[in-house]
Amino acid sequence: MMRTRPLKVALLGCGVVGSEVARIMTTHADDLTARIGAPVELAGIAVRRPDRVRRGVPAELITTDATALVKRGDIDVVVEVIGGIEPVRTLITTAFEHGASVVSANKALLAADGATLHAAAVQHGVDLYYEAAVAGAIPLIRPLRESLAGDKVNRVLGIVNGTTNFILDRMDTTGAGYSEALDEATALGYAEADPTADVEGFDAAAKAAILAGIAFHTRVTIDDVHREGLTEVTAADIASAKRMGCTVKLLAICERSADGKSVTARVHPAMIPLNHPLASVREAYNAVFVEADAAGQLMFYGPGAGGAPTASAVLGDLVAACRNKLANTTGVGESAYTQLPVSPMGEVVTRYHISLDVADKPGVLAQVATVFAEHQVSIDTVRQQSRDRGTGAEGAAVEGGEASLVVVTHRAPDAALSATVAALRKLDTVRGVASIMRVEGE
Amino acid sequence: MMRTRPLKVALLGCGVVGSEVARIMTTHADDLTARIGAPVELAGIAVRRPDRVRRGVPAELITTDATALVKRGDIDVVVEVIGGIEPVRTLITTAFEHGASVVSANKALLAADGATLHAAAVQHGVDLYYEAAVAGAIPLIRPLRESLAGDKVNRVLGIVNGTTNFILDRMDTTGAGYSEALDEATALGYAEADPTADVEGFDAAAKAAILAGIAFHTRVTIDDVHREGLTEVTAADIASAKRMGCTVKLLAICERSADGKSVTARVHPAMIPLNHPLASVREAYNAVFVEADAAGQLMFYGPGAGGAPTASAVLGDLVAACRNKLANTTGVGESAYTQLPVSPMGEVVTRYHISLDVADKPGVLAQVATVFAEHQVSIDTVRQQSRDRGTGAEGAAVEGGEASLVVVTHRAPDAALSATVAALRKLDTVRGVASIMRVEGE
């Protein structure tokens, strides 16, 4: 079964991750050979800007013609770390057509059109692996797809974006506002110059789509994922969370519905209790909670980004793809047999933490409570306090002043909760809705 | 590649785990069929006591002749959940000889003689999987073996025994002594009637051997693992740990030496800082920290035992073994190419927390410090306190009385540390060594 001709690898992209992949392939060549069962060699590296200096990367392998590289015909595995939809999708399908397996770190493409890629891989009898696309070095896709293959996953709940976790962690520990924390993240290199993909939740939504598809054996694309970023999270929200014994995290949540007939996937900031394992995930770390019928609650924790951690995931997949090539087989591919539909956000059952600015007079709470009751949303706790703290009348209602009302609901469909909020806004006595945040992890 | 004849599974053992495996195979048959690509059926169940009632297990499949079952010749995969060395080793090798792959949850056998089993599996072209042997449902063996196949693991540090973690957690939260906490664990079903395998660290040592072998691509057996149980951990040790901002955990630690030329594996109680992720692992949960060159620090957390969680791991392996059977291939087997030797405990570099009862007079600290210096063990911190607290002279040395001296060392070879302790015991001014505990996770 073993053969001595080296397996040939083409690398598409040689930025932070790609150069680390190239470095490890060189420095750990002996280990890789032993683990694969044959030597593995870098046969070409496609880059856009060949003039950029890449330390430790053999200059003679550099090309700007990625298409010619994947069409060479002698390439066993293509490693794609360019990112984005096109031209990468075409490069990957071309690689498949020419008999190469593909290892990708491309969450955007997988979340947009994984089905096309998987189908093409099956058609050409090759592998498509992408452990690095979700949560960097943390083994997550392989455990979900293989280790839990005999179990029924009901929920995946995770922190899958390091930038936003860094920002929220700073807001939590220093009391800083969003902008200040974002500036710090940018200065320290945790946030990109244009942080949109991270702070608006696009990155996490792509990962949620990938995780949901694998966890529930169905197809979920980024368009199916309800997405709210963290740009509207305020220092006051974090302070409110603390008063409740919670912290705020940007969570990716994939759930099977109670009747098992549909799934949901969403990304939004949420309060989680401090004693929840995800609450203690600091800085740019990622962690993903998985709840399965038989396994119970599992958590996977580690660095969610960075050149070396992402390269670790890429190389794990590369070893698997190479081993399969040698054995003339393929690994576990897409499994979408359940064909479970993705329900809209309105059907998600969750809890709200709502902070209202209300007129400080008798009867307001009764009015507010009536609105909740009319929408069949059950209230868990209410905290009412006067805003006229300076007058010494703290906690007491003062006629004509303003008070704040903090309501935490029991679990209810998101549509009922948002309809409740819309109705509250129409009350004369409600001056404003200061914040709305979901509560998870209880 | 697909075929319609069902894959046949023989189950050896039908206790807590086995009956759960049988139940899930029945209730989740459609999912398993979809994920494997062919139906999978339970073809026989070997038990010792056929009269015992097993809910939901088809009575007609029960046999007492395990040997005949594995020799049937039509069995594709044997699931072994009996435990122990013999007759299981013979049953497994017989299964291999008759063309069956084996999924086992047997840590004792794998840690005692994994090499023989792996060699037999290779010889007969079948799989040997055993995710359930370490840390129950937590995916650990597959991530180490496959996801990290392109990385270099330097350290595995984990809580891999739920019983002892439950006992230590109770001691930590209630201040109870070891016996009291063990009684509670027994009453709640967390400890067996004979708790030796757990509390003396045999169970954890077997898991450490398996993890070390896989992590470092070498062979490690349970005899290579330095083992200390937790029977000597006192309420005073836990209190000392708290004063240091630590808690006590029974840890399995597998390390690559600094020069990379050897490995070590050990199980012993150790103090770890409260801010270490392992410190917050409560009750009977397990968690394993993995440090790798490129991936950085990863943690895997979940239920480490129990029928359903263990069955989840078994079924994940069963799906993999069945898929390989269908594809006429085998998965990743043993990888022991590094042939790294296992160094004795004396070469492990660690830190000690030593609590001494000393004569309360001037010069004692100087004497003690000299002994450390003579053994080239550097002291990190010393805390000295008088035992005559009732006299109002707290913290001050009182002539003729007794004081306690708590020394925490810097990192040093374990042999130097234990030689230091032996020399301290010989000092006239040292009345006794109250406790010694290693400090990890910093």
Side-chain angles (χ1 to χ4, degrees), chain B residues 118-341:
Chain B
H118 277 293
V122 169
Q123 189 193 334
H124 297 285
V126 291
D127 280 319
L128 170 63
Y129 284 121
Y130 46 91
E131 184 67 76
V134 181
I138 310 173
L140 209 50
I141 291 179
R142 185 170 279 104
L144 276 172
R145 183 167 271 163
E146 301 184 37
S147 307
L148 291 164
D151 207 332
K152 186 179 175 191
V153 176
N154 294 313
R155 196 156 192 251
V156 177
L157 175 79
I159 295 166
V160 294
N161 180 273
T163 304
T164 49
N165 199 59
F166 182 89
I167 292 170
L168 288 167
D169 186 30
R170 277 299 181 275
M171 290 175 73
D172 185 80
T173 51
T174 68
Y178 165 72
S179 303
E180 197 184 328
L182 172 60
D183 288 346
E184 192 186 345
T186 310
L188 292 170
Y190 287 112
E192 293 180 50
D194 176 0
T196 310
D198 293 319
V199 301
E200 296 291 357
F202 290 101
D203 174 86
K207 293 164 178 170
I210 294 170
L211 290 175
I214 294 171
F216 306 130
H217 297 266
T218 188
R219 279 197 188 129
V220 180
T221 72
I222 192 168
D223 297 333
D224 298 319
V225 182
H226 174 85
R227 178 187 52 75
E228 298 171 32
L230 87 166
T231 55
E232 287 173 28
V233 176
T234 64
D237 290 329
I238 307 274
S240 278
K242 281 193 176 177
R243 274 196 296 274
M244 282 182 63
C246 287
T247 187
V248 176
K249 295 290 184 189
L250 186 75
L251 298 179
I253 306 173
C254 313
E255 288 175 316
R256 196 187 286 275
S257 65
D259 66 5
K261 291 183 180 161
S262 64
V263 300
T264 54
R266 54 194 163 115
V267 168
H268 56 71
M271 294 182 181
I272 56 166
L274 289 175
N275 64 5
H276 192 284
L278 291 180
S280 52
V281 176
R282 298 278 169 225
E283 304 198 326
Y285 274 86
N286 281 196
V288 176
F289 230 73
V290 175
E291 293 179 12
D293 261 4
Q297 297 190 318
L298 304 172
M299 190 173 81
F300 303 81
Y301 167 95
T310 308
S312 172
V314 165
L315 284 159
D317 281 350
L318 178 62
V319 169
C322 287
R323 290 180 54 94
N324 290 343
K325 277 276 170 190
L326 282 181
N328 229 333
T329 185
T330 52
V332 183
E334 188 186 33
S335 170
Y337 70 92
T338 65
Q339 298 182 40
L340 291 171

Side-chain angles (χ1 to χ4, degrees), chain A residues 40-385:
Chain A
V40 57
E41 76 176 30
L42 209 43
I45 305 174
V47 299
R48 266 185 311 174
R49 288 185 283 181
D51 50 316
R52 196 184 282 182
V53 177
R54 293 169 178 84
R55 267 200 317 171
V57 175
E60 68 277 15
L61 297 181
I62 301 282
T63 171
T64 53
D65 192 345
T67 303
L69 181 57
V70 300
K71 282 185 172 174
R72 264 172 54 168
D74 66 337
I75 302 296
D76 294 288
V77 183
V78 169
V79 171
E80 182 271 308
V81 287
I82 297 173
I85 309 293
E86 284 295 349
V88 173
R89 177 168 43 198
T90 304
L91 287 170
I92 290 180
T93 50
T94 306
F96 289 156
E97 286 159 12
H98 289 80
S101 288
V102 172
V103 173
S104 171
N106 192 328
K107 62 207 142 224
L109 176 54
L110 267 305
D113 196 15
T116 297
L117 298 183
H118 277 293
V122 169
Q123 189 193 334
H124 297 286
V126 291
D127 280 318
L128 169 64
Y129 284 122
Y130 46 91
E131 183 67 77
V134 181
I138 310 174
L140 208 51
I141 291 178
R142 187 170 276 102
L144 276 172
R145 184 168 269 162
E146 302 185 35
S147 307
L148 290 164
D151 207 333
K152 186 179 175 193
V153 176
N154 295 311
R155 198 156 191 250
V156 177
L157 175 79
I159 295 166
V160 294
N161 179 274
T163 305
T164 49
N165 199 59
F166 182 89
I167 291 170
L168 289 167
D169 186 29
R170 276 300 180 278
M171 290 175 73
D172 185 81
T173 51
T174 68
Y178 165 72
S179 303
E180 198 183 329
L182 171 61
D183 289 347
E184 191 185 347
T186 309
L188 293 169
Y190 287 112
E192 292 179 51
D194 176 0
T196 310
D198 293 319
V199 301
E200 296 291 358
F202 290 100
D203 175 86
K207 293 164 178 170
I210 295 170
L211 290 176
I214 294 172
F216 307 131
H217 297 266
T218 189
R219 278 195 191 132
V220 181
T221 72
I222 190 167
D223 297 332
D224 299 318
V225 181
H226 174 85
R227 178 188 51 77
E228 298 170 32
L230 86 167
T231 54
E232 288 172 28
V233 176
T234 63
D237 290 329
I238 307 272
S240 277
K242 281 194 178 176
R243 273 196 297 273
M244 282 183 62
C246 287
T247 187
V248 176
K249 295 290 184 188
L250 186 75
L251 298 179
I253 305 174
C254 313
E255 288 175 316
R256 196 188 285 274
S257 64
D259 65 6
K261 291 184 181 159
S262 65
V263 301
T264 54
R266 51 193 164 117
V267 168
H268 56 71
M271 296 183 180
I272 56 167
L274 289 175
N275 64 5
H276 192 283
L278 291 180
S280 52
V281 175
R282 298 277 170 228
E283 304 199 325
Y285 275 85
N286 281 195
V288 176
F289 230 74
V290 176
E291 293 179 12
D293 261 5
Q297 296 191 319
L298 304 171
M299 190 174 79
F300 303 80
Y301 167 95
T310 307
S312 172
V314 166
L315 285 158
D317 281 350
L318 178 61
V319 169
C322 287
R323 290 180 53 95
N324 291 341
K325 277 275 171 191
L326 281 181
N328 228 332
T329 185
T330 53
V332 183
E334 188 186 31
S335 170
Y337 70 92
T338 66
Q339 298 181 42
L340 291 171
V342 185
S343 298
M345 187 62 196
E347 292 179 24
V348 167
V349 176
T350 177
R351 299 174 63 202
Y352 272 24
H353 173 282
I354 306 163
S355 197
L356 303 169
D357 294 327
V358 297
D360 200 352
K361 59 184 184 187
V364 173
L365 177 55
Q367 275 191 313
V368 166
T370 301
V371 170
F372 278 89
E374 282 168 359
H375 291 85
Q376 266 136 46
V377 172
S378 170
I379 293 176
D380 181 9
T381 61
V382 178
R383 198 175 67 242
Q384 193 172 189
Q385 68 186 21

Side-chain angles (χ1 to χ4, degrees), chain B residues 35-60:
Chain B
R35 296 174 194 181
I36 290 167
V40 56
E41 75 176 32
L42 208 43
I45 304 173
V47 300
R48 268 186 308 174
R49 288 187 283 182
D51 50 317
R52 196 184 283 184
V53 177
R54 290 169 181 84
R55 266 202 316 171
V57 175
E60 69 276 15

